[in-house]
Amino acid sequence: MNELQEMLQLNIDDIEPESVTQIEKKRLLHNILNKKKHRFLHYAVAVGLMTFGIGSSVLVLSPTIAAQIPIVQNIVDYFNGDTTQFTYFKDYATVIGSMQTSNGVSIEIGDAIYDGTTVTIAFAIESKKEDFGEHPIFGSPIVTNGNVQGSSVTSIKKVTDTTYAGVITVTPELTGGSPRTVSLSWSPGSVWNHETDEIVEGDWSFEFKLKKINVEGIPVNYTDTRKDFILNVPSVDITGYTINVPFEVEMPSKYELSNLPYNIEFEVKDEFGNEYEMLTNLAGSTTKHAAKGSYTFANLQSGSDRLTITPKLIHENEEILFDSIIINNPEKSGK
Amino acid sequence: MTDFIRKLQQRQEKALAFVVNTYMPYVKVIAKKILQHSCGTGAVDECVNDVFLAVWQNSTKFNGDELEFKKWIGTITKFKAIDMYRKQKKNETVSLEHTKEQEDNKNGEVLYLRKEQKESILIELQTLPDTERELFLMKFYLDLSNGEIAAALGITKAAVENRLYRGKKKLATLPTIKERLE
């Protein structure tokens, strides 16, 4: 019997499960939830207003080490070439410069941006001895205005054996639209090397506020219907760093967000043929058959006079195109 | 957790955590038996990840009780793992596969399936009764020849052809497969 036949004859009813560590299970869950959220939006949202942490208008920084030397200089430069996300990041970012050390591991928050929809935080890690592998994983996510709901993408680059540069891009669920400032808090709790299952716990804790950078909200009042899906885009919000496309969708009664076979996507192009890179997206149900959310793209600032935004419904080989949204003179916006 | 299947279908993340907690040991051992030796630990992890992602994204297509759920997740694992194994072998023996592809072309088989389409086939075929499921997964998901299927099931090639022929009516009710039969 050859190898393939043996595999085909494997009787799965008669097989002894083997033990799996809690860490492996946590990692798997984390991977699935992140992948799911990053693709598109198959989850319903628990909406609830959390009130703690809001109220002060003063920028509050966590206790920091005085006159510290940054772990990694120019964190986002490590990602140039992989993404267009950081082309204009430094022009708009606020320097946070907060570092904390616990259990031999230092975590530094370098700089950050809040563009009214999405928060981007550049950070670095340095360990006295541990090598955290290619992609260390934090125990707990960033909390925005007291809320952990949202979608988040973490990119990490190993700089030396014991230092890392990283960026977390979060689209949080912001109750009440797009507040002028957001309060961020982050207590990572642990850093984990999933390649070796080694985990270092620590009590790093960061708290800071970010003011919204200048956003030019261009009203588009767009509505289009395809296959009984009604798509609304009230505005396109342009900053020098990003382009945000908020949307609402009403679905035919047989669909709701949880069983929607389609991905709702947006394509952003300029007249030179540049396609703008999607950074994050988020959506949640508003009623049984309706949802709202947003897509965030990197602003290329290509000198374009005309941006074309095309919404799409995609399911396997099927692609349903909606009418495009045209934005004239986008470069005058968001500067 | 009671009623975890319904909760999973409602996209409750706690239900997913329960499914991972309960079934990961089972899924992992199947993936390991098929892939560990031939493709290594990285492939095992990738397979386990793919299985739970597929389960999470397709939970509404599952219809049955807890016992059937275990069978469902186990079959998805087995066939995803074998598919990964075959892809790996294909990379190792390009020239042989090339000949096989030319043969398949003559038969009018659709050779290249997008990953999503393959996944749909894997999920759709789960709705078939036990006795037919594996045969059709071998044919339409793994693209095995009738001879290979006959050897694996311990039946004659003629019997495979016969069962495939009889099953075509049922398959025509499954959208992605129907596309392939046309």
Side-chain angles (χ1 to χ4, degrees), chain A residues 53-68:
Chain A
I54 310 175
S56 164
S57 60
V58 183
L59 185 76
V60 184
L61 287 182
S62 319
T64 58
I65 299 162
Q68 58 200 282

Side-chain angles (χ1 to χ4, degrees), chain A residues 3-5 7-13 15-22 24-29 31-33 35-37 39 42-44 149 257-259 314-318, chain B residues 11 13 16-17 20-21 24-26 28-30 32-34 37-38 45 48-49 52-53 56-57 71 74-75 78 82 85-86 89 114 116-117 120 134 138 142 144 148 151-152:
Chain A
E3 208 174 18
L4 177 67
Q5 278 172 23
M7 290 173 183
L8 290 166
Q9 287 178 3
L10 176 71
N11 183 358
I12 56 168
D13 297 329
I15 203 163
E16 263 310 296
E18 69 170 51
S19 65
V20 173
T21 64
Q22 284 306 317
E24 272 186 276
K25 289 176 179 173
K26 261 177 95 171
R27 181 180 76 210
L28 174 64
L29 189 64
N31 285 349
I32 296 164
L33 293 174
K35 208 161 180 174
K36 168 204 67 169
K37 285 177 182 171
R39 277 192 56 188
H42 284 286
Y43 77 114
Q149 295 275 11
L257 202 54
S258 60
N259 71 6
I314 296 178
H315 174 53
E316 293 174 356
N317 289 330
E318 186 186 2
Chain B
R11 325 287 307 166
E13 291 182 0
L16 176 65
V20 167
N21 194 40
M24 190 176 175
Y26 174 59
K28 191 165 179 186
V29 78
I30 298 173
K32 229 171 155 180
K33 278 195 187 296
I34 293 168
H37 172 67
S38 54
D45 289 344
V48 172
N49 209 76
F52 282 95
L53 190 65
W56 178 236
Q57 289 174 337
K71 181 92 185 169
T75 310
K78 176 177 166 181
I82 295 175
Y85 161 81
R86 293 188 75 230
K89 288 285 147 196
R114 284 180 53 192
E116 293 85 354
Q117 253 180 316
S120 296
E134 296 234 330
M138 288 178 200
L142 294 176
L144 296 185
E148 284 171 310

Side-chain angles (χ1 to χ4, degrees), chain A residues 248-252 255-257 284-292:
Chain A
E248 292 166 9
V249 62
E250 288 172 47
M251 294 169 256
Y255 295 128
E256 45 196 282
L257 202 54
S285 303
T286 47
T287 63
K288 194 171 180 194
H289 305 295
K292 67 189 285 188

Side-chain angles (χ1 to χ4, degrees), chain B residues 41-103:
Chain B
T41 311
V44 174
D45 289 344
E46 191 185 328
C47 178
V48 172
N49 209 76
D50 278 4
V51 167
F52 282 95
L53 190 65
V55 164
W56 178 236
Q57 289 174 337
N58 294 288
S59 61
T60 51
K61 290 170 192 153
F62 172 76
N63 188 10
D65 60 17
E66 214 169 300
L67 208 64
E68 285 159 322
F69 186 83
K70 188 179 174 195
K71 181 92 185 169
W72 190 62
I73 199 168
T75 310
I76 292 174
T77 311
K78 176 177 166 181
F79 280 86
K80 260 190 189 291
I82 295 175
D83 189 46
M84 280 174 75
Y85 161 81
R86 293 188 75 230
K87 275 186 189 138
Q88 168 90 5
K89 288 285 147 196
K90 196 169 182 176
N91 290 339
E92 287 168 10
T93 56
V94 176
S95 58
L96 282 174
E97 277 300 319
H98 186 65
T99 319
K100 182 180 176 299
E101 284 183 11
Q102 282 172 339
E103 268 174 33

